Amino acid sequence: MGKIPLMNLTRQYQNIKDDINKKILDVLSSGQYIMGENVKSFEKEFAEYMGVKYAIGVGNGTDALHIALLACNIRPEDEIITCGMSFFATAEAISIVGAKPTFVDCCDDTYVLDHRQIEKKITSKTKAIVVVHLYGQCADMDEICKIAKKYNLKVIEDTAQAAGARYKNKYAGTLGDVGCISFFPTKNIGCAGDGGIILTDDEAIARICKAYRVHGSGYDGKFAYEFFHDVKLENECDFGDNLPKYFNFLIGCNSRLDEIQAAMLRIKLPFLESWNSRRREIANYYNENIKNDLIKKPIVSKNCEHIYYVYVIMVKERDRFREFLAANDIATGIYFPIPLHLQEVYKNLGYKKGDLPNVERLANCGVAIPMFPELTEDELKKIVKVINDFN
């Protein structure tokens, strides 16, 4: 059988390689590699799939968060509440705009941001909540949005791990003011490199995001400047016969979803529902057949449809467990070994061990076992048998 990987991209590629290869060759032949028809079409198709008005393709998921924060007018010295358990990009994007991340604990069963911890962390400087839909399921968005409305806070969804997950039949990334999705290759829908997208129903946020992704330039840059400064530039700004992209109104960045990645994503999008359904089938198989009392299996919130970017279990003797599986040719992973509040770069914020107990327990005991749609029945049987044999 060979070693069973944690994730496997080549099996997926083999299933759709003819369509992928043709689409990529079409892009290469076209000579249009940046912001072309595939990007425009994918933005439209993805917005329709997610049920939002606007989708703005960007270079990666981190840029999506960064640009979304800027578009929500987050500025230096603002405070942003987020979960202490996530990939570093969640907090990094907050810091890049000069704001201060304020970390809260996760739930002890579902591992998503614990809405019950939010209000006690709100200050006069708090401007937004960045909600992390961890591992592929949503946080309690009804409660979070209720708190945000009470305190006039923006809600930005970090949906990097949850493309296609639902909360009360609405997709993750469409429940707050703006949603951010990563198309990193291992994600449930991924490209052959970096890519990301921003989702919103707010026309102003959409136009400002479009401006920031291309150096704050052009008609969208002009709109953003007028929006933020409450002025009109009709008399002061005349593009004439020049390209609007040479007129800059904001300090933006260069973050564009390129044509090849968009072309690949267009091929993959129609498969996303079936791939996520297969992930749930695998998770159900694990849930029903892992019988080892040393293993704590993941819990799904009643309002959520999990899409299992990763299937994370809790094991007290994690190192010994991982060694046992490795000896039986089964790969595992850790998401994530160092909580955000204990990262060295945030030492100045004054957090210490014990401040976020559920987050820290997850960092110390959580372990991901193989999860990807192309896992075979024989592989699943072996994984379950080996886990049940661990003692």
Side-chain angles (χ1 to χ4, degrees):
M1 182 181 295
K3 186 173 181 178
I4 304 173
L6 181 65
M7 299 177 178
N8 188 300
L9 301 180
T10 56
R11 293 187 195 179
Q12 182 189 87
Y13 169 68
Q14 289 299 322
N15 289 336
I16 55 176
K17 68 177 183 179
D18 290 342
D19 290 336
I20 292 288
N21 291 350
K22 181 182 183 304
K23 199 73 172 176
I24 290 175
L25 288 173
D26 287 345
V27 172
L28 293 175
S29 299
S30 74
Q32 178 67 61
Y33 306 139
I34 298 291
M35 302 289 285
E37 289 304 315
N38 280 292
V39 171
K40 293 175 185 176
S41 295
F42 178 69
E43 288 175 336
K44 181 176 183 294
E45 291 158 7
F46 200 69
E48 290 174 351
Y49 167 78
M50 297 297 289
V52 294
K53 293 179 181 177
Y54 308 101
I56 303 96
V58 292
N60 52 69
T62 308
D63 284 352
L65 287 167
H66 174 205
I67 292 170
L69 286 161
L70 290 173
C72 289
N73 204 24
I74 304 304
R75 295 295 179 259
E77 307 307 320
D78 289 345
E79 295 178 2
I80 310 299
I81 291 173
T82 193
C83 188
M85 177 51 68
S86 183
F87 181 60
F88 184 66
T90 305
E92 183 179 37
I94 295 169
S95 296
I96 286 172
V97 302
K100 174 187 173 184
T102 300
F103 300 115
V104 299
D105 210 355
C106 65
C107 297
D108 64 353
D109 51 0
T110 60
Y111 313 133
V112 293
L113 185 152
D114 188 346
H115 69 271
R116 297 165 296 185
Q117 307 298 317
I118 292 175
E119 281 198 84
K120 66 183 73 172
K121 296 294 184 76
I122 294 174
T123 73
S124 61
K125 294 183 177 181
T126 306
K127 295 297 187 293
I129 305 168
V130 174
V131 184
V132 181
H133 299 311
L134 194 69
Y135 300 156
Q137 81 165 322
C138 297
D140 191 331
M141 290 301 292
D142 280 354
E143 293 300 320
I144 291 170
C145 290
K146 189 184 300 181
I147 294 168
K149 184 176 181 180
K150 178 179 177 181
Y151 292 94
N152 193 29
L153 308 177
K154 292 291 188 183
V155 176
I156 299 166
E157 297 175 77
D158 182 342
T159 319
Q161 299 185 356
R166 292 184 179 91
Y167 175 86
K168 293 187 174 180
N169 294 319
K170 288 191 68 176
Y171 283 113
T174 71
L175 300 156
D177 294 285
V178 57
C180 305
I181 291 179
S182 168
F183 298 126
F184 186 79
T186 61
K187 295 301 195 291
N188 292 36
I189 176 170
C191 48
D194 280 314
I197 207 160
I198 301 168
L199 306 172
T200 187
D201 282 323
D202 188 309
E203 181 182 7
I205 288 176
R207 292 197 66 181
I208 295 166
C209 287
K210 288 179 180 179
Y212 272 117
R213 72 175 172 179
V214 287
H215 308 286
S217 66
Y219 290 103
D220 291 319
K222 176 175 173 287
F223 170 86
Y225 184 92
E226 293 174 338
F227 183 87
F228 286 136
H229 295 88
D230 194 24
V231 297
K232 287 293 183 182
L233 298 177
E234 302 303 338
N235 297 325
E236 295 92 340
C237 180
D238 181 11
F239 297 138
D241 294 328
N242 298 293
L243 292 175
K245 71 177 183 178
Y246 295 127
F247 292 74
N248 303 84
F249 301 88
L250 305 170
I251 302 298
C253 57
N254 178 17
S255 182
R256 300 169 294 198
L257 180 63
D258 72 60
E259 277 290 289
I260 287 178
Q261 308 304 349
M264 287 191 63
L265 292 166
R266 293 185 70 196
I267 295 293
K268 290 186 175 186
L269 182 56
F271 294 97
L272 181 56
E273 287 294 321
S274 62
W275 288 340
N276 284 344
S277 178
R278 174 58 180 161
R279 287 172 181 270
R280 282 190 292 274
E281 288 178 4
I282 293 168
N284 288 336
Y285 183 86
Y286 285 151
N287 292 339
E288 293 171 4
N289 291 283
I290 294 175
K291 306 293 186 181
N292 193 326
D293 291 338
L294 299 176
I295 307 299
K296 180 183 176 183
K297 291 172 282 190
I299 302 295
V300 180
S301 298
K302 62 180 180 180
N303 294 319
C304 294
E305 188 173 67
H306 208 316
I307 51 89
Y308 295 100
Y309 169 60
V310 286
Y311 184 96
V312 174
I313 58 179
M314 297 281 274
V315 188
K316 286 185 178 180
E317 295 188 56
R318 183 174 67 187
D319 290 346
R320 194 166 65 83
F321 175 79
R322 296 188 73 200
E323 290 170 1
F324 182 75
L325 265 65
N328 285 276
D329 292 324
I330 300 171
T332 58
I334 302 175
Y335 295 83
F336 300 95
I338 308 295
L340 294 177
H341 69 292
L342 297 180
Q343 291 284 359
E344 189 68 22
V345 71
Y346 287 127
K347 194 172 183 179
N348 65 307
L349 296 181
Y351 291 93
K352 61 185 185 302
K353 287 185 178 180
D355 284 345
L356 305 180
N358 294 331
V359 161
E360 292 169 33
R361 190 177 306 112
L362 183 57
N364 292 330
C365 300
V367 55
I369 61 176
M371 172 57 77
F372 54 94
E374 297 79 17
L375 277 166
T376 68
E377 298 305 314
D378 286 343
E379 288 173 327
L380 290 172
K381 288 177 182 178
K382 177 178 178 178
I383 292 165
V384 167
K385 181 182 185 307
V386 171
I387 290 175
N388 286 334
D389 286 345
F390 174 73
N391 57 57

